Amino acid sequence: MAVTLEKDGSIAVVTVDSPPVNALSRDLRQELIDAAEAADADPDIEAVVLMGAGRAFIAGADVSEFDRLPEPPHLPDVVARIETAKKPWIAAIHGAALGGGMEVALGCRFRIAAPGTRLGFPEVALGVVPGAGGTVRTPRLVGFDKAVALVTGGKPVGEEEAKAIGLIDAIAEGDLRQAALSFARAALGKPMPSPLAARDVAAPHEGFWVEAETRLAKRGEGAARLRALACLKRAAEADFAAAMAHERATFLELRASDEAAALRHVFFAERAASRPPELKGIEPRPIRSAGVVGGGTMGAGIALALRRTGLPVVLLERDEAAAARGLDNFRDLVGGMVKRALVSEPEADELLAGLSVTTEIRALGDADLVIEAVFEEIGVKRDVFARLDGVCRPDAILATNTSYLDPRRIVAGLGDPERYVGLHFFSPAHVMKLLEIVPLPETAPEVLATAFALAARLGKVPVKAGICEGFIGNRILKRYRAAAEDLLRQGAAIADIDAAMRGFGFRMGPFEAQDMGGLDIAYLQREGARAAGEPVLETLADILVRVGRKGRKTGAGWYDYAESAAAPTPSSEVGELLAAHVGGGPSLSGEAIAARLVSEMAEEGAAILAEGIAVAAKDIDLVEIHGYGFPRWRGGPMFHASRRGAKRFADDLGRPPSPALAAFLSAG
Ligand code: T1G
């Protein structure tokens, strides 16, 4: 039994206990209805307090049921049964009341929440809309302005804000159960508010919906947000029953959509990635202090990411001038967060107070973890680790932030190999969620477990990557860029390729992204490899860098960035520079361009999977979504490929897929 009913005097306490988060599975929905029947049938019961056991009140519908047809009792019926119960129900909320959990709470006559509770409607993040009255009851409680923000924004609110907007009636002081029992007893002595279904709602001002729709359309993140707005609009125009019917039809339609399937795929992939099965039961080491070597953009970003978790950080640079620059870099990043109101001034002061910048490596002697983020050159990195070995505690974990070098070469022949690990952050490191964790063959399991625990503490999405050039993300990026240049060679225009990828859902296309980051970074890597005797093909980007076209920072890259121009402009110089290399191939539509480039990414992903560099296809999807801007609502290149299926791949690629990709596609 996941739902129990016990009595405290004349108040029934109905407790939902379905670990891990009381998701509203079919059985749980039936047991809630049974509890409402039992409470109504018991003449001694005057009111019902509804609580959740464990970490959350109710986390929402059971998302794992969404790949199957909906089974009765359906959640709207459960909510209606609670709402029409003879005895008033009081939702006693802790942890989280999200989606269907919030909708159940809206079916209750009152809502009381404990401090630290998150309440809201994350459905749009799953590609659906609330499906059990969220878009119809919420405006009746908090008005349309707040309801639109809650439902289309998808971001939960805390108990203070929930109380302020009227989503809850009270914040529990002390023990939630006792507070709810007292609240229930007090409520019985007062006039009972009408159920939300019976309340009218004032329509919003003229122009409200157009403004909201314009704002949401700019986000361009799939269809769910705009469809949720349409449900709220219906709730303003139609009666309760008609609005509920519209909402339910929209929910059922979206629940079956590719976008919702993609977002569910990512939802579960993120959770699986944070808990690799091979680390189950392995205790991470405690991290109470950290060091970062290198105060450049990456090092300062990593230091800030660590500081934001409250860790004291020692930032080491080679000399006073570099140390001063490192501190300035850190200050600039913190200042940027203050400007964006992500941290307050006092928090900014605290972030700075916990950072000490030094040129003395022995200052790292007591750090539990040290992350190297110096210049991407093997000799420079080896020197850093040789020195760290001499001063750090034997149980300190030493990590390299290298983005494509082989960590084994960096630390070969140095100290205890079990303590090294690759932690590849993405710039800006205090913002980007992806963290590629690259174990060496000798990395100790608890060192790896500590890396994953650190990722969770940093709020990052960790993905374990094997060792190859570029690990997972940069290896696919290299393939993506080469494929984009191939399309150039075949005659496609730079601006058309970028537009096609923005149309697919990327914030930027491959060429504008290179201009943003700088063409010279990859160019230097290629030149380094060529100098080391590796057979590295000439790229079209090489031609541009050699004439100084390094991107935005030089005012010219794949595009021209004239001061006067409002936006980057296609460059005639680039046309001349590349004229000898681009031919008049068949022109491709935007869809065909996107299909081609995403397929090339998927083909590289299939090779990465076949080589064991990635443990699972879903990990590759997480890397692309959280590290490279692949649209989340497309699910990632591997998910997208598996949904497109093998038969369309020959067309997309313009050639038969590789054996690895064909094998991946046939595995289904
Ligand atoms: N359904 C199924 N499983 C879920 C789940 C859910 N809603 N939420 C979490 N899990 C699993 C998760 O996969 C993981 O499994 C474990 O629980 C712990 O999750 C009709 C249509 C509540 C804030 O979107 O935000 O209601 O990996 O690691 O960090 O209108 O879980 O252990 O096997 O995230 O403590 C709307 C999603 C659904 C909330 C807790 N609800 N969940 O965080 O644990 S749609 C949501 C969360 C809906 C209605 C609509 C978080 C949490 P495993 P976790 P956590």
Side-chain angles (χ1 to χ4, degrees), residues 205-532:
H205 63 75
E206 190 56 38
F208 174 83
W209 298 109
V210 171
E211 287 159 25
E213 199 167 322
T214 309
R215 201 171 47 247
L216 284 176
K218 283 201 185 99
R219 295 184 69 151
E221 288 167 355
R225 294 180 200 277
L226 283 168
R227 297 296 297 276
L229 185 69
C231 290
L232 287 155
K233 188 165 183 287
R234 197 89 174 99
E237 295 162 349
D239 64 26
F240 182 83
M244 286 294 288
H246 176 79
E247 177 195 79
R248 190 70 187 163
T250 304
F251 166 69
L252 292 174
E253 176 203 332
L254 293 181
R255 180 184 188 274
S257 68
D258 282 343
E259 175 182 326
L263 290 166
R264 280 197 303 279
H265 162 74
V266 179
F267 172 86
F268 287 114
E270 286 167 340
R271 281 152 182 77
S274 63
R275 292 188 276 268
E278 76 270 18
L279 296 178
K280 198 169 174 64
I282 293 174
E283 200 54 39
R285 289 181 193 164
I287 300 289
R288 288 165 300 245
S289 64
V292 175
V293 182
T297 308
M298 278 310 288
I302 294 168
L304 180 51
L306 294 165
R307 278 294 306 127
R308 295 201 69 206
T309 68
L311 278 172
V313 174
V314 173
L315 182 61
L316 174 73
E317 261 292 4
R318 59 183 180 281
D319 57 42
E320 290 304 333
R325 285 194 299 275
L327 181 56
D328 286 347
N329 289 340
F330 185 88
R331 279 207 181 98
D332 290 349
L333 294 178
V334 173
M337 296 193 81
V338 171
K339 212 176 289 172
R340 292 195 302 279
L342 297 172
V343 295
S344 65
E345 290 289 356
E347 286 166 339
D349 297 341
E350 180 52 33
L351 289 168
L352 278 158
L355 176 81
S356 62
V357 183
T358 178
T359 59
E360 296 295 331
I361 192 166
R362 62 172 179 276
L364 298 178
D366 197 34
D368 297 319
L369 163 74
V370 179
I371 301 172
E372 165 273 315
V374 298
F375 186 61
E376 276 294 279
E377 199 286 313
I378 197 91
V380 174
K381 289 184 182 299
R382 281 188 59 77
D383 173 59
V384 166
F385 280 97
R387 294 168 62 212
L388 290 174
D389 268 332
V391 298
C392 293
R393 291 197 331 255
D395 65 325
I397 293 172
L398 305 183
T400 173
N401 173 58
T402 185
S403 57
Y404 71 97
L405 294 174
D406 184 338
R408 294 169 299 189
R409 290 183 57 214
I410 294 173
V411 297
L414 298 181
D416 169 12
E418 290 197 347
R419 69 170 173 174
Y420 299 119
V421 66
L423 292 181
H424 178 209
F425 289 81
F426 287 74
S427 186
H430 63 299
V431 174
M432 295 295 282
K433 289 183 76 73
L434 179 61
L435 179 64
E436 280 184 323
I437 295 179
V438 187
L440 285 73
E442 303 87 356
T443 299
E446 77 269 12
V447 169
L448 193 55
T450 309
F452 276 85
L454 178 72
R457 185 171 176 177
L458 294 171
K460 301 275 184 197
V461 175
V463 173
K464 192 168 88 169
I467 296 175
C468 69
E469 187 185 321
F471 310 130
I472 298 172
N474 280 344
R475 174 167 160 181
I476 291 177
L477 177 64
K478 186 174 171 185
R479 175 71 178 272
Y480 173 52
R481 287 176 171 171
E485 286 199 6
D486 284 347
L487 288 178
L488 280 193
R489 288 190 179 87
Q490 292 164 28
I494 291 169
D496 291 350
I497 295 169
D498 280 343
M501 298 318 285
R502 271 188 270 109
F504 182 81
F506 283 83
R507 287 251 181 271
M508 280 192 278
F511 297 107
E512 49 201 355
Q514 288 176 61
D515 276 357
M516 178 74 80
L519 281 70
D520 48 334
I521 297 166
Y523 172 76
L524 289 172
Q525 288 168 8
R526 291 192 293 272
E527 287 292 278
R530 289 174 185 131

Side-chain angles (χ1 to χ4, degrees), residues 20-21 23 55-56 59-64 66 75 96 98-101 103 122-123 126 128-132 251 267-268 271-272 275:
V21 294
R55 71 179 96 170
D62 184 341
V63 177
S64 62
F66 284 18
L75 192 54
L98 298 173
E103 289 169 311
E123 286 89 338
L126 291 168
V128 294
V129 298
F251 166 69
F267 172 86
F268 287 114
R271 281 152 182 77
R275 292 188 276 268

